[in-house]
């Protein structure tokens, strides 16, 4: 931990990359967990696709209503708040996240590239008008124009949004310390950013409860709860 604190202290361009493990510590289920929730992994993957949106709308909206309810019932944990504090103090230059819960922004972070969109908003599939996702909690799934309201996330079958992707790419290249928090690093193309950071000279740190596919190239690997690790680092900064 001492070497990790030294790296964070000495970083000129610290970038943080967060995955599902960052949110599970707030109580949000891991999207791919096979034994939690009402759906199997296969059903979850299908219901998160453009095919489900287009061909099984009722099941699609039922699934996402429950996901929207989940993020409204929970809140950011201490780790989210620490990252926001690091940004305010100038330690942290950019957060790249695979998560769609909006907890980073809720905790106070502003420099957040959301690679997979957000569940905090829904938008009309026809006219593009944006609404807060509370519309789903009020059982409103239709825009004023008559179009379908869908979550503003990236579904299977869709491309990543260009601007967050470019922001993440630039941040990875500029980084001198790249800190991964709670990602298995198994989802492409998002998992290419830690690799890019490492290849362009950054120190790669991975904090995840389970081993990841990139542990072998990381400079430091820690298999401990994220909140505990961030609190210990923060206490020594």
């Amino acid at each position: 931990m001492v070497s990790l604190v030294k790296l964070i202290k000495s970083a000129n361009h610290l970038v943080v990359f967060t995955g599902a493990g960052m949110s599970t510590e707030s109580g949000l289920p891991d999207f791919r967990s096979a034994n939690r929730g009402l759906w199997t992994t296969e059903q979850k993957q299908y219901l998160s696709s453009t095919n489900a949106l287009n061909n099984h709308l009722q099941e699609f909206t039922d699934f996402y209503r429950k996901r929207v309810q989940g993020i409204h019932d929970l809140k950011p944990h201490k780790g989210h708040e620490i990252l926001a504090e690091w940004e305010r103090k100038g330690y942290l230059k950019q957060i790249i996240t695979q998560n769609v819960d909006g907890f980073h922004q809720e905790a106070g972070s502003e420099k957040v590239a959301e690679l997979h969109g957000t569940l905090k908003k829904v938008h009309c599939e026809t006219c593009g008008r944006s609404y807060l996702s509370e519309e789903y909690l009020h059982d409103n799934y239709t825009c004023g124009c008559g179009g379908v309201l869908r979550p503003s996330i990236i579904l299977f079958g869709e491309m990543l949004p260009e601007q967050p992707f470019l922001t993440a790419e630039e941040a990875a290249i500029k980084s001198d310390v790249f800190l991964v928090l709670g990602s298995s690093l198994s989802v492409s193309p998002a998992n290419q950013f830690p690799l890019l950071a490492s290849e362009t000279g950054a120190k790669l740190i991975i904090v995840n409860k389970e081993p990841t596919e990139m542990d072998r190239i990381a400079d430091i690997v820690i298999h401990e709860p994220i909140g505990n690790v961030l609190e210990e680092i923060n206490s020594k900064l």
Side-chain angles (χ1 to χ4, degrees):
M1 189 64 72
V2 173
S3 58
L4 175 52
V5 172
K6 284 183 178 179
L7 274 180
I8 300 294
K9 276 186 174 181
S10 65
N12 292 315
H13 204 97
L14 171 65
V15 173
V16 167
F17 179 98
T18 63
M22 187 76 189
S23 296
T24 56
E25 293 188 22
S26 285
L28 202 64
D30 182 340
F31 177 65
R32 285 177 168 76
S33 292
N35 299 319
R36 299 182 68 178
L38 300 176
W39 296 275
T40 65
T41 299
E42 291 75 17
Q43 285 172 315
K44 289 175 183 177
Q45 289 180 344
Y46 176 71
L47 290 170
S48 302
S49 70
T50 53
N51 283 340
L53 171 63
N54 295 327
N55 300 312
H56 294 91
L57 184 58
Q58 184 64 56
E59 291 89 343
F60 177 89
T61 52
D62 286 348
F63 175 62
Y64 276 104
R65 188 186 192 284
K66 292 182 183 297
R67 291 196 67 192
V68 169
Q69 185 68 62
I71 67 168
H72 280 82
D73 289 344
L74 299 170
K75 62 181 182 180
H77 58 76
K78 182 64 176 178
H80 290 102
E81 295 170 358
I82 288 171
L83 294 182
E85 179 184 343
W86 288 2
E87 182 185 303
R88 288 193 296 273
K89 290 182 175 179
Y91 303 149
L92 176 57
K93 304 304 182 185
Q94 181 70 51
I95 293 174
I96 304 167
T97 188
Q98 297 172 285
N99 299 333
V100 295
D101 48 55
F103 286 165
H104 285 300
Q105 293 93 327
E106 195 173 330
S109 294
E110 295 182 1
K111 297 175 182 177
V112 183
E114 294 177 308
L115 296 177
H116 298 154
T118 179
L119 273 180
K120 290 290 189 181
K121 294 180 181 179
V122 296
H123 67 269
C124 177
E125 184 78 345
T126 302
C127 73
R129 181 179 175 185
S130 182
Y131 299 79
L132 294 177
S133 59
E134 279 88 343
E135 295 294 328
Y136 265 35
L137 302 185
H138 299 145
D139 295 321
N140 180 20
Y141 309 109
T142 307
C143 177
C145 76
V148 172
L149 293 182
R150 53 155 290 181
S152 297
I153 62 168
I154 306 306
L155 300 172
F156 291 114
E158 295 180 323
M159 298 287 289
L160 293 187
E162 182 179 12
Q163 191 53 58
F165 186 92
L166 293 175
T167 297
E169 184 176 54
E170 181 181 3
I173 293 170
K174 284 184 176 180
S175 68
D176 55 357
V177 176
F178 196 96
L179 174 59
V180 176
L181 300 174
S183 176
S184 64
L185 300 177
S186 59
V187 178
S188 182
N191 63 355
Q192 296 307 300
F193 296 119
L195 180 61
L196 177 61
S198 179
E199 288 177 342
T200 52
K203 295 293 185 182
L204 178 59
I205 306 159
I206 299 176
V207 180
N208 196 56
K209 285 187 176 181
E210 303 294 332
T212 79
E213 298 178 7
M214 294 191 188
D215 285 2
R216 58 185 174 77
I217 67 168
D219 296 277
I220 298 175
V221 176
I222 299 175
H223 298 306
E224 295 179 24
I226 296 164
N228 294 350
V229 172
L230 290 179
E231 287 195 66
E232 186 169 348
I233 295 171
N234 198 51
S235 68
K236 296 174 181 175
L237 285 180

